[in-house]
Amino acid sequence: MNFIAPFAHPIYVMLKPVGAVCNLRCKYCYYLDKKDLYPAADNYLLSKELLEDFIRQYLESHTTSEILFTWHGGETLMRNISFYKKALELQRIYGRGRPIDNVLQTNGTLLTDEWCRFFKENNFLIGISIDGPQHCHDVYRRDREGRPSFLRVMKGISLLKKHGVAFNVMAVVNDYNVDYPLEFYRFFKSMDCRYIQFAPIVETIHGKPASWNVPSGKWGDFLIAIFDEWVKKDVGTYYIQYFDATLANWVGQSPGVCTLAKTCGHAGVLEFNGDLYSCDHFVYPEYKLGNIKNRTLTGMMYSERQLKFGTDKYDTLPQQCRNCEYLFACNGECPKNRILPTADGESGLNYLCEGYYKFFKHVAPSMDFMKNELINQRPPANIMYQKS
């Protein structure tokens, strides 16, 4: 077992200031039921004492100048502005003059002028969860009363633009919107959103794939359709996380997204009560590393247990994956999605394998061209000026 050398990478921990509490009830949400882990909780609010302990430990763990705080939910805006003002105050106290960035993920429905002024004044980057145009978004992203949320999200985005707040989008790809790739992509371009992230939904219910999962083959077709438009006219102006990560793997660099990296375990998640888990998608008792009340973030994130969690991503790959010509580009993708048997009956094949293989095979000539441009210190965007 080749463990990652201690302190080879900075600690990265997402903070859940309201745990799994949310004002929406998105049908595919994997996090809402995490409240069941804490049935005796009076509320799901991170206390000021734990907030200070976390910020102090988090900043002490960083020896680099690049420090990023990520606020995640549930719905992060169900904590009031005073909570985040306190967080910034603590960052200043314990940061000792170092530059600190804050990223906050929200469904956008609770944004107001006051929130947006605060984010602008404090240089927050806001991640907005939106699943494409209205007919796509409202299929699954509804509130407690079953009402659609698209118009409220768009109002929130308008407020972000009004106040000049930097934002990007996170879009879940499911069994419905996967059939509208170009409409989906052009919708985000119409918003002038330059940084776009996709998250293919893969969940199980009682051990079987959920009905809203994105079909694997269609996931590949979805990526291909968007790539073919992007590669002709949008390289260097619109940044699609999957395409950037694929090119990074093609040239042997870190992909910047854990799902396509060779190892994982670099990003823990801290629940409202101080419990630390190995990953946002592995918030289960067996992946609980401890609690910051009695263990340090550094000790837990660099523990043998967490390092093994990270290297298991590669070490537990089935033989079919190890023999694949595109293993370097996929690395087996996220371990949570390895729910199928291989053709030989070995467990651990990724649910999205068919789609990824289709995508990588299609984009290989383009990736080879862009790789060559980078090697020769020319911009990959030159691919748009090739003669067809």
Side-chain angles (χ1 to χ4, degrees):
M1 182 73 66
N2 294 316
F3 288 123
I4 304 167
F7 305 101
H9 54 79
I11 285 176
Y12 175 69
V13 177
M14 290 195 305
L15 190 58
K16 303 275 188 177
V18 291
V21 176
C22 187
N23 63 317
L24 295 186
R25 290 295 180 270
C26 303
K27 189 171 183 179
Y28 55 65
C29 183
Y30 66 91
Y31 213 82
L32 284 176
D33 64 358
K34 302 306 177 186
K35 287 189 292 185
D36 296 342
L37 293 172
Y38 305 102
D42 294 327
N43 61 54
Y44 300 90
L45 304 180
L46 183 78
S47 70
K48 290 182 179 179
E49 292 75 21
L50 277 176
L51 175 66
E52 180 168 3
D53 195 14
F54 169 77
I55 289 175
R56 176 184 57 78
Q57 288 196 41
Y58 193 65
L59 288 170
E60 287 176 352
S61 74
H62 281 71
T63 57
T64 62
S65 59
E66 298 178 359
I67 304 172
L68 178 67
F69 281 80
T70 300
W71 308 90
H72 214 269
E75 172 46 45
T76 49
L77 300 192
M78 295 187 79
R79 292 304 299 261
N80 56 32
I81 288 179
S82 64
F83 171 84
Y84 293 101
K85 287 182 177 178
K86 180 64 176 179
L88 293 178
E89 178 188 339
L90 292 168
Q91 288 176 359
R92 286 189 289 270
I93 292 171
Y94 292 107
R96 297 181 175 85
R98 289 180 291 172
I100 296 172
D101 292 315
N102 286 277
V103 175
L104 182 142
Q105 187 71 27
T106 174
N107 61 42
T109 62
L110 301 179
L111 285 167
T112 62
D113 284 301
E114 184 183 13
W115 273 114
C116 292
R117 282 192 294 268
F118 170 77
F119 292 141
K120 179 62 177 178
E121 290 167 1
N122 294 285
N123 298 311
F124 272 65
L125 171 63
I126 303 302
I128 292 286
S129 299
I130 180 170
D131 291 353
Q134 186 168 10
H135 74 96
C136 293
H137 177 92
D138 283 341
V139 172
Y140 293 122
R141 297 190 68 83
R142 295 175 173 261
D143 64 18
R144 298 171 185 175
E145 287 73 42
R147 297 173 300 188
S149 63
F150 177 82
L151 295 179
R152 283 174 280 173
V153 178
M154 291 302 293
K155 180 181 178 182
I157 291 173
S158 295
L159 288 171
L160 291 172
K161 290 182 174 181
K162 171 185 172 182
H163 291 276
V165 179
F167 74 95
N168 55 29
V169 296
M170 167 62 80
V172 171
V173 183
N174 53 59
D175 66 312
Y176 180 82
N177 61 8
V178 71
D179 289 328
Y180 302 91
L182 293 183
E183 182 182 356
F184 180 93
Y185 179 44
R186 291 166 186 169
F187 167 75
F188 291 124
K189 287 175 65 177
S190 73
M191 294 163 49
D192 197 33
C193 186
R194 300 281 167 166
Y195 297 89
I196 305 169
Q197 299 179 45
F198 306 145
I201 189 69
V202 179
E203 296 296 331
T204 57
I205 300 177
H206 305 303
K208 296 183 179 180
S211 61
W212 47 78
N213 283 1
V214 56
S216 182
K218 286 188 175 184
W219 169 238
D221 295 335
F222 174 90
L223 290 174
I224 288 168
I226 295 176
F227 181 87
D228 285 350
E229 176 154 317
W230 175 81
V231 82
K232 290 176 182 176
K233 51 188 176 183
D234 294 332
V235 181
T237 54
Y238 288 89
Y239 299 89
I240 314 297
Q241 185 186 46
Y242 268 107
F243 303 163
D244 292 344
T246 298
L247 180 57
N249 275 341
W250 229 265
V251 299
Q253 300 296 318
S254 172
V257 54
C258 59
T259 55
L260 298 185
K262 185 174 181 179
T263 62
C264 59
H266 303 167
V269 58
L270 193 81
E271 262 288 352
F272 72 97
N273 70 335
D275 285 345
L276 183 70
Y277 292 87
S278 292
C279 169
D280 190 45
H281 288 283
F282 286 84
V283 178
Y284 300 103
E286 58 267 38
Y287 295 99
K288 177 181 167 182
L289 299 172
N291 191 289
I292 61 169
K293 295 175 185 176
N294 45 50
R295 295 191 65 189
T296 67
L297 283 175
T298 301
M300 289 186 282
M301 288 300 293
Y302 289 116
S303 66
E304 182 173 329
R305 182 180 174 190
Q306 180 66 356
L307 293 171
K308 185 177 185 301
F309 173 84
T311 55
D312 276 351
K313 183 178 193 288
Y314 184 85
D315 291 345
T316 60
L317 283 171
Q319 195 61 45
Q320 180 175 321
C321 293
R322 295 176 185 274
N323 295 338
C324 179
E325 61 187 302
Y326 298 119
L327 174 60
F328 72 94
C330 169
N331 287 305
E333 212 249 358
C334 183
K336 84 172 184 68
N337 297 335
R338 298 177 186 175
I339 59 176
L340 298 179
T342 67
D344 296 329
E346 190 178 0
S347 63
L349 182 67
N350 197 292
Y351 173 91
L352 297 170
C353 175
E354 176 190 350
Y356 277 116
Y357 187 90
K358 185 186 294 188
F359 169 66
F360 293 135
K361 184 176 182 179
H362 179 84
V363 304
S366 297
M367 290 294 164
D368 288 340
F369 178 91
M370 290 190 284
K371 174 182 178 179
N372 187 64
E373 294 302 283
L374 285 170
I375 290 172
N376 289 283
Q377 299 183 325
R378 297 189 295 262
N382 286 345
I383 193 170
M384 297 186 291
Y385 311 115
Q386 287 188 102
K387 290 183 179 179
S388 55

